[in-house]
Amino acid sequence: NAGVTQTPKFQVLKTGQSMTLQCAQDMNHEYMSWYRQDPGMGLRLIHYSVGAGITDQGEVPNGYNVSRSTTEDFPLRLLSAAPSQTSVYFCASSGLAGRYNEQFFGPGTRLTVL
Amino acid sequence: GENVEQHPSTLSVQEGDSAVIKCTYSDSASNYFPWYKQELGKRPQLIIDIRSNVGEKKDQRIAVTLNKTAKHFSLHITETQPEDSAVYFCAASGTGGFKTIFGAGTRLFVKA
């Protein structure tokens, strides 16, 4: 199993550009989530999904869109990048909905917006 | 929504000493409390977790305690070693572990 994978590892954008951060897992996990990590602020939840076709907002959803068309994939879209979105982004997944399960994190994507 | 506060932000101990990190949460409906360790440049990884029906859990040198009445929980690391140096995050979530909210993290330095 590859676990949770994320692409790209690094990305530099200009203000106003759009892009999609990719996240995939091969563990048949129902629950997937996106976090951003900024110095001194821990991991802040952006969006999460409890299964294909179901998504919901986290703590800091503004400026980000998500969709979940398959169990395996959970892409994060930045429609118009802003310097405030410079951060490290982590995708995570965990097992069956309704149970307390460890979240497995991907390796992260370091995004810089100029 | 849930809010998790974590203290201290930085902790420095001598090798062999104990380290304690404390967290408080705001949502009384939260009932799952995991702790994650993140080494420099790496992804967070679960080290221990506790559910609301348990007051304490131990795994070798690591223990976690939970006080639901006061809405706080703590991580205890005994006999610290240099490889324990990392950032530690507490977190809280509701039923099913959904919408996990993290604390701001504690950077632990263990001096040899």
Side-chain angles (χ1 to χ4, degrees):
Chain A
N1 284 352
V4 181
T5 58
Q6 291 182 239
T7 57
K9 290 186 178 180
F10 302 94
Q11 183 70 49
V12 179
L13 292 177
K14 293 181 180 178
T15 297
Q17 287 185 316
S18 62
M19 79 158 297
T20 299
L21 306 185
Q22 301 291 345
C23 174
Q25 52 89 11
D26 61 359
M27 298 175 282
N28 201 31
H29 284 170
E30 292 187 355
Y31 183 77
M32 297 185 74
S33 55
W34 275 102
Y35 292 89
R36 60 176 290 174
Q37 184 172 30
D38 303 295
M41 301 188 74
L43 294 151
R44 290 185 291 169
L45 182 65
I46 304 172
H47 286 285
Y48 65 98
S49 170
V50 300
I54 306 170
T55 64
D56 206 348
Q57 295 181 350
E59 301 172 273
V60 289
N62 292 341
Y64 308 94
N65 283 348
V66 292
S67 60
R68 184 96 178 269
S69 57
T70 67
T71 300
E72 294 78 18
D73 300 297
F74 191 42
L76 178 72
R77 297 185 187 86
L78 285 71
L79 297 180
S80 179
S84 60
Q85 294 178 305
T86 293
S87 189
V88 179
Y89 291 84
F90 286 100
C91 177
S93 74
S94 63
L96 294 176
R99 298 186 183 179
Y100 304 103
N101 289 298
E102 171 183 2
Q103 287 201 79
F104 293 88
F105 284 82
T109 294
R110 185 174 295 274
L111 175 67
T112 301
V113 182
L114 303 175
Chain B
E2 176 66 278
N3 182 53
V4 178
E5 295 191 356
Q6 183 171 349
H7 302 278
S9 56
T10 305
L11 179 60
S12 184
V13 300
Q14 286 293 137
E15 182 178 2
D17 287 350
S18 295
V20 180
I21 302 170
K22 298 182 178 181
C23 291
T24 60
Y25 61 97
S26 61
D27 190 349
S28 57
S30 292
N31 49 19
Y32 175 61
F33 307 92
W35 287 85
Y36 286 81
K37 176 183 179 182
Q38 186 179 30
E39 297 177 346
L40 189 63
K42 300 200 174 173
R43 70 193 80 183
Q45 291 190 297
L46 182 76
I47 55 171
I48 195 167
D49 57 14
I50 190 167
R51 288 143 176 72
S52 61
N53 59 346
V54 176
E56 184 174 356
K57 183 177 178 180
K58 189 174 182 180
D59 183 3
Q60 298 182 334
R61 297 186 297 109
I62 294 173
V64 58
T65 59
L66 171 65
N67 183 327
K68 282 219 75 178
T69 302
K71 289 191 280 189
H72 65 70
F73 56 114
S74 301
L75 177 71
H76 304 252
I77 306 174
T78 59
E79 300 173 24
T80 53
Q81 301 167 3
E83 51 265 38
D84 293 330
S85 296
V87 178
Y88 291 81
F89 293 99
C90 63
S93 65
T95 302
F98 301 153
K99 205 169 182 179
T100 302
I101 303 300
F102 284 77
T106 295
R107 186 172 296 278
L108 174 65
F109 296 97
V110 180
K111 296 176 287 186

